[in-house]
Amino acid sequence: MAGRVRAASMEGIAAYSLSARFAELTATMPGIVVELVSERHLINLTKHEPDISVSFVPPQGPRLSVRRVGDFRLAPFASKSYLIRRGGPDTRTDLQDHDFVYHVDDLIAIEPAHWLSEIRKPTDVVFRSTSMAAQQKAVAAGAGIGLLPLFSAKTNPALVPVLPDAVVVRRDLYLGVHEDIGCVGRVRAVTRFLTSLFTDEAGHLNEF
């Protein structure tokens, strides 16, 4: 099997989960070239913009094959320097007294990305970014508390979980492909790889 397969996903999943794993895929199937596209909006599978979509929102459109392949957990994280300076919250209510790092509200293109609203009203936000990587770096630098996916936060030893047992936010992961190309060998190989990946890494995506 050989050729290009374009996969689209959100920035966080693409940068902190898929990029390294696709390197493993190309090592075993060197004829396949994966193009990983990261966007903060849903890319249109029906227009064949990507071949495959990985998202926490199921893509919509005619003749799409979409299935849930797993989920991931988010939790509040802060830096050690922030917790020394401000003290850690003991309860969810205490979160109201802390500074937060979050998305740019009016630029959130997908409703499920409003995950901070599930634990508090995002009023005391001291830094905003459309980039999850930028948010994570700001949290690690001590700007405030951020609600981050476990799979990304665990890559930075400067980050400390805050109230991990009291705050549980989850998002499903959906794999989508258009029926016109789902049977193509190289596309089928990548979809099989991704399905196995999310099954094998369920613990990594959901545990500290």
Side-chain angles (χ1 to χ4, degrees):
M1 289 179 289
R4 183 200 74 181
V5 177
R6 180 170 293 173
S9 188
M10 303 306 170
E11 178 210 22
I13 301 172
Y16 291 102
S17 180
L18 296 183
S19 55
R21 299 301 182 262
F22 277 140
E24 299 171 5
L25 171 68
T26 54
T28 58
M29 298 182 182
I32 295 178
V33 177
V34 176
E35 296 180 351
L36 182 56
V37 180
S38 62
E39 297 286 352
R40 58 185 178 85
H41 64 274
L42 290 178
I43 298 177
N44 198 330
L45 276 173
T46 60
K47 295 181 179 179
H48 298 289
E49 293 177 359
D51 300 312
I52 299 168
S53 169
V54 177
S55 175
F56 48 87
V57 178
Q60 304 292 321
R63 303 192 64 207
L64 296 184
S65 174
V66 180
R67 62 184 183 274
R68 180 185 177 278
V69 290
D71 62 1
F72 66 94
R73 181 180 170 185
L74 302 102
F77 284 84
S79 70
K80 296 175 184 177
S81 62
Y82 176 86
L83 295 175
I84 291 172
R85 185 174 77 250
R86 295 289 301 274
D90 295 320
T91 66
R92 286 178 64 124
T93 303
D94 294 340
L95 291 172
Q96 300 292 340
D97 300 324
H98 284 267
D99 296 332
F100 273 80
V101 172
Y102 193 43
H103 292 289
V104 180
D105 272 329
D106 59 331
L107 295 180
I108 296 179
I110 302 169
E111 182 60 31
H114 286 274
W115 39 54
L116 183 57
S117 61
E118 294 190 20
I119 65 170
R120 69 182 298 277
K121 293 181 179 180
T123 52
D124 299 323
V125 177
V126 297
F127 176 77
R128 295 180 184 269
S129 176
T130 57
S131 166
M132 200 207 76
Q135 292 176 42
Q136 181 162 306
K137 288 183 180 295
V139 174
I145 297 174
L147 190 62
L148 303 171
L150 267 60
F151 63 77
S152 66
K154 289 191 292 188
T155 65
N156 191 329
L159 295 171
V160 178
V162 175
L163 300 176
D165 297 323
V167 178
V168 178
V169 177
R170 294 185 186 276
R171 289 293 184 270
D172 289 329
L173 283 170
Y174 296 93
L175 179 66
V177 63
H178 198 280
E179 292 177 355
D180 288 349
I181 59 170
C183 60
V184 176
R186 64 183 184 276
V187 175
R188 189 169 64 246
V190 176
T191 56
R192 282 201 304 261
F193 174 82
L194 288 170
T195 301
S196 297
L197 171 68
F198 291 123
T199 299
D200 295 342
E201 297 210 340
H204 175 70
L205 295 170
N206 289 282
E207 298 171 5
F208 289 103

